[in-house]
Structures are given as C-alpha cells and as structure tokens.
Amino acid sequence: MAIICMARQVAAKGDEISAEVAKLLNYKFITRKDIEAKIVELGFPKEKLHKYDEVKPGFFASLAKDRDEYLDYLQTAILESASDGNVVLIGRGASYVLSDLPNMLSFRFVADQQTRLERLEEEFSFTEKQAQARIDESDNNRRGFHKSFFNADGEDPAHYHLVVNSGKLDIKSAAALIVSIVEANVTPDLEEQGKKKVAEMLLAQKLVNFLVFEHNITVNFLRALVIDKKIVLQGIADSSAIVEKAVVLAQKAYPDYKVESAISVVQDFKTYK
C-alpha cells in the first residue's frame, strides 16, 4: 500500500511520467480532474473552484471563509484517495497533506527553461512569448498555492525524495527510476503503519468537516488529531461554550474514542469572512 505523490513544473512531463509509473506498478493514477471532481462531490461549489484549485488565491479570496472550506475539502479528497492504497497522486500539495505517512514517497519533475518553452510551443503552437507567459503564470500560481495553503516552498528540493529532470531523462527512464526507488524503500511494515495512519488522518478530517459543515462550529483553524483511541481538538475559539459544544458533538459522533480539547480560547478573536 504505497502512496506516491508527484509535483511538477508545467511542461516537465509530470503527468506523463506519473501515468507511466502507475502503469508499471499497477497503481491507480489520481489525476487533477479526479481530485477536482471529488472536491465538488464532497460539497465545495464548482463555481468557486477556480479561485483556489492549484492557483494563487487573490487577496480577498485568501481571506474568505471559502478558502478554509476549500482546504478542508481538498484534504478530505486527498486522504480518501490515499486510503485506498497503491495510488499515484499528482499536484494539489498531496505530499504536504500526506507528509506524516511512512509509506509515502514524493517526487518532483523539472526541466530546463528552453526545453519547457519548446514543449509548449510544439504542443499548443505557442509563440516563444506565449510559452514564456504560460510558464510564468503557472510557476507563480503554484508558488502561491503552496505558500497560501501549506506555508511551504513547493520548489524546495529537500521536501522530496527525488527531483527528476525530464529534460535529461525520457519518460520511460524517469518512470523506471521512480519504480525502483518505490520497490526498494516501501516495506510491508511501512505499508501497515501507513494504512493505520491514513485511516486516523481521514477520521480526524471527517470529524472536522462534521463539526464545521454540519454543525457550524466556529472554531478557527480547527484541526483534530487521532492518537490510538484518543481524539484531540485544536484551534482557536472566542468562548468556552463553543469549545464545550465541539467536544460534546465529537464525543457523540465517536463514542469509542476519548475526546479532549486543546482549543485555545481567545476573547474577541475574529477572522475575515
């Protein structure tokens, strides 16, 4: 049950290499459209998706309640996909959402500027100027997306198990290299640990969704941690009554777990809506 997370520059052949990896390992390939469809299926309005989905949110969009809802739905979509095991996920910051999984391996695909320009010019009949504009827009959006939602630098090579230059390796060679790394590093023991961990993370995320979307619990930055048979709620609320209500609802929803609060109470704490 290995989980493989891919990130890529535009025109770095990330989708093609990821598809080849999935084919060689007989894994399910979760594409961008699959994640988009799941986010909408879970309840996020389709007409608002363009404001957040792997783009840099505008100033007001980054302050809106929709931003936090999008992140909750995104994390749920990624966790549900990962819970099936033996999957290749591409984009959407999946490697950050799943960074705690011991059976997750992450890869990033890059290419030199000239190669990227030539690929875009050939695929879309772009002029060099149009191709450069597409590269600049995509790189800027992906930087903004990672910074806004994960406070991370998606271009930092230290985050990944391997950064692959598709300007130097062809699709089949790059895919074969990744497969060899997966097969050498994901052991049955790590797979079992990962299966347990992703189930706990998905339970925690579903609890957050339950409290926020079904009961309108106004705990800012609400997060749940599942540790064996204990659930710990985290976040910031402006009253003890809200905290108590969150704990009671969580305990009723998951009676087999002991629910504790680590939510901070800050009077008059407000966020932009």
Side-chain angles (χ1 to χ4, degrees), residues 191-207:
E191 289 181 357
E192 192 60 33
Q193 293 177 37
K195 184 177 180 180
K196 177 177 183 290
K197 181 66 177 178
V198 76
E200 291 176 343
M201 292 170 67
L202 182 56
L203 184 153
Q205 185 61 55
K206 287 185 173 180
L207 174 57

Side-chain angles (χ1 to χ4, degrees), residues 10 113 116-117 120-121 126-141 143:
V10 69
Q113 187 78 349
R116 296 172 75 194
L117 287 169
L120 288 173
E121 289 167 21
F126 283 167
T127 64
E128 182 174 338
K129 184 177 180 180
Q130 289 173 322
Q132 185 62 61
R134 177 71 182 95
I135 287 172
D136 292 343
E137 178 187 40
S138 177
D139 289 354
N140 184 54
N141 272 330
R143 289 188 200 104

